[in-house]
Amino acid sequence: MTSKMFKIFACIIFVAGQLLLANAFTNPVKTTDGSDPFVVYHEGYYYLTTTTWSNIQITRATTIDGLKNGSRKTVWTDATTSRCCNMWAPEIHWQSKEGAWYIYYSAGTSGTFDNQRLHALRGSATDIWNSTWNYAGRLVVPNRDVWSIDGTVLVLGSTRYMVFSSWDGADQCLYISQMNNATSLGNTVKISSPTLSWERVGANVNEGPAAVYHGGRTWIVFSASNCAGTGYKLGMLELTGSNPLSASSWKKSSNPIFQSANGNYQPGHNGFFLSPSGNETYMVYHANSVSPGTCDGKRYTNIQPLHWYTDGTPDTGSPRALNENIPEPK
Ligand SMILES: *[C@@H]1O[C@H](CO)[C@@H](O)[C@H](O)[C@H]1NC(C)=O
Ligand SMILES: *[C@@H]1O[C@H](CO)[C@@H](O)[C@H](O)[C@H]1NC(C)=O
Ligand SMILES: *[C@@H]1O[C@H](CO)[C@@H](O)[C@H](O)[C@H]1NC(C)=O
Ligand SMILES: *[C@@H]1O[C@H](CO)[C@@H](O)[C@H](O)[C@H]1NC(C)=O
């Protein structure tokens, strides 16, 4: 090979490499205040929300890599005493019956975490970024108006449910209610308690539910154990019965599905989102860089694809190392 040929060859390899990298990203996508992340893709943009505690912010970009330095807006702050503070786990959901975007989040009073409840904002436009956000109401649980956090929407056919986390004695459990509309819940039923040893590390916790659907099947992935310490991880329930409002319809996997690996500790509080084509499912989650970890803004946001085992169940794999190139969703 002549020197000139070599230069051309090297140039081609370089350009091909750059093209491949342009379709890849590395984690983390948010380095601080990356906790309790949620992502939705809509008409050309990814929208990321995380817990910043004092307000609700949305970051958007056209690629996952772009989220690192994406445009960011604070869309909500609130001086109302009952919901001013500890704004946790915002999630953006399209509610087709109302024809509007809603942000569901948890919030309570200053100086204590004991008054956390579920709340909703409604977007003014059919576009997330163009919306201004108005308080749409507190999601009151009629038969159990107590501490509740981490509300997420589960959709089965034309029926909507809210799944959330609440204390029952010494256990933080998962509950489900049918939604009458985007801001009104029916009576709730407990569907999961932290009964297995891996759900009881540091504290007995089931929280951060996230619904995922594939091949006509439905799962709720949730976070187990104390977010501080060494035990936080993901577990999974499958809807195996016909009535989602019955605990016996949900079957828990006996082992966790996602735990500390490759320098990412206490991975949890995840969300799922579809790729632009709708053909791929990705997951977003937070992790700590050290173990034992903390439940604060030091947690960062990671994203990676979800795969499927040959029997059709979700395969989350392990948290991937921070220097790994991960393909942009297609
Ligand atoms: C993106 O944001 C990170 C963290 O804030 C910063 O260090 C980096 O310089 C930014 N990159 C660009 C290209 O602006
Ligand atoms: C958002 O607002 C901009 C500026 O008013 C407008 O050009 C754009 O069409 C709007 N986008 C959507 C999807 O509504
Ligand atoms: C939602 O449903 C509740 C209970 O049926 C009702 O009181 C409320 O007016 C409804 N809200 C809207 C915005 O329709
Ligand atoms: C997505 O799946 C559909 C149906 O299987 C297929 O026609 C389409 O080409 C796929 N798109 C991409 C980007 O893979």
Side-chain angles (χ1 to χ4, degrees):
M1 195 186 279
T2 64
S3 151
K4 190 174 172 190
M5 272 173 72
F6 177 78
K7 277 181 189 153
I8 291 169
F9 181 71
C11 190
I12 289 169
I13 295 291
F14 178 77
V15 169
Q18 291 300 304
L19 284 174
L20 280 175
L21 285 179
N23 288 312
F25 66 93
T26 53
N27 282 316
V29 299
K30 193 163 190 271
T31 51
T32 54
D33 282 339
S35 344
D36 312 332
F38 183 85
V39 168
V40 62
Y41 176 85
H42 185 242
E43 292 183 350
Y45 293 94
Y46 296 94
Y47 295 87
L48 168 69
T49 51
T50 62
T51 289
T52 63
W53 294 76
S54 54
N55 58 27
I56 296 174
Q57 300 178 7
I58 304 178
T59 305
R60 84 161 182 176
T62 55
T63 61
I64 298 294
D65 196 56
L67 285 173
K68 293 174 183 174
N69 295 87
S71 310
R72 188 170 298 162
K73 273 191 198 181
T74 297
V75 298
W76 191 248
T77 54
D78 199 333
T80 312
T81 310
S82 61
R83 56 174 195 264
C84 64
C85 302
N86 321 318
M87 290 184 194
W88 294 347
E91 299 193 357
I92 310 173
H93 292 270
W94 174 251
Q95 292 286 21
S96 53
K97 284 180 189 164
E98 285 77 10
W101 291 100
Y102 284 80
I103 296 178
Y104 294 100
Y105 65 103
S106 320
T109 57
S110 178
T112 174
F113 299 149
D114 291 346
N115 298 318
Q116 297 294 93
R117 295 290 190 280
L118 307 173
H119 299 274
L121 307 176
R122 180 184 164 121
S124 61
T126 53
D127 178 69
I128 294 171
W129 203 245
N130 281 3
S131 282
T132 53
W133 297 87
N134 295 298
Y135 188 69
R138 179 161 87 80
L139 289 100
V140 178
V141 183
N143 62 334
R144 209 174 179 284
D145 186 13
V146 297
W147 189 91
S148 308
I149 62 164
D150 293 352
T152 196
V153 180
L154 165 73
V155 182
L156 295 168
S158 59
T159 310
R160 300 174 284 181
Y161 301 87
M162 178 144 286
V163 185
F164 58 94
S165 178
S166 180
W167 287 100
D168 183 16
D171 293 342
Q172 199 185 317
C173 304
L174 295 182
Y175 287 81
I176 190 169
S177 280
Q178 192 167 323
M179 302 184 82
N180 302 315
N181 55 44
T183 54
S184 169
L185 304 181
N187 284 340
T188 199
V189 174
K190 183 165 68 177
I191 53 168
S192 178
S193 303
T195 52
L196 304 172
S197 59
W198 54 266
E199 302 173 286
R200 303 172 71 87
V201 182
N204 312 336
V205 176
N206 283 179
E207 64 180 16
V212 63
Y213 319 89
H214 186 65
R217 294 164 67 183
T218 301
W219 297 266
I220 291 171
V221 170
F222 63 93
S223 302
S225 290
N226 194 337
C227 55
T230 58
Y232 211 53
K233 59 177 86 65
L234 297 179
M236 187 165 74
L237 303 172
E238 180 171 9
L239 179 61
T240 53
S242 53
N243 179 12
L245 294 173
S246 164
S248 62
S249 293
W250 295 94
K251 186 173 183 297
K252 187 181 292 180
S253 299
S254 50
N255 294 310
I257 62 162
F258 196 68
Q259 37 192 330
S260 300
N262 301 318
N264 297 294
Y265 300 98
Q266 301 92 43
H269 201 117
N270 78 309
F272 295 104
F273 62 99
L274 291 177
S275 64
S277 68
N279 290 358
E280 300 173 337
T281 304
Y282 273 65
M283 61 183 275
V284 59
Y285 68 95
H286 73 225
N288 274 280
S289 60
V290 294
S291 185
T294 46
C295 301
D296 57 17
K298 291 198 202 74
R299 294 171 294 182
Y300 51 83
T301 305
N302 284 351
I303 290 175
Q304 64 184 53
L306 178 69
H307 298 293
W308 307 97
Y309 289 112
T310 48
D311 72 356
T313 58
D315 176 6
T316 52
S318 291
R320 289 166 70 162
L322 295 185
N323 58 4
E324 230 185 285
N325 285 309
I326 298 176
E328 286 280 349
K330 287 194 252 328

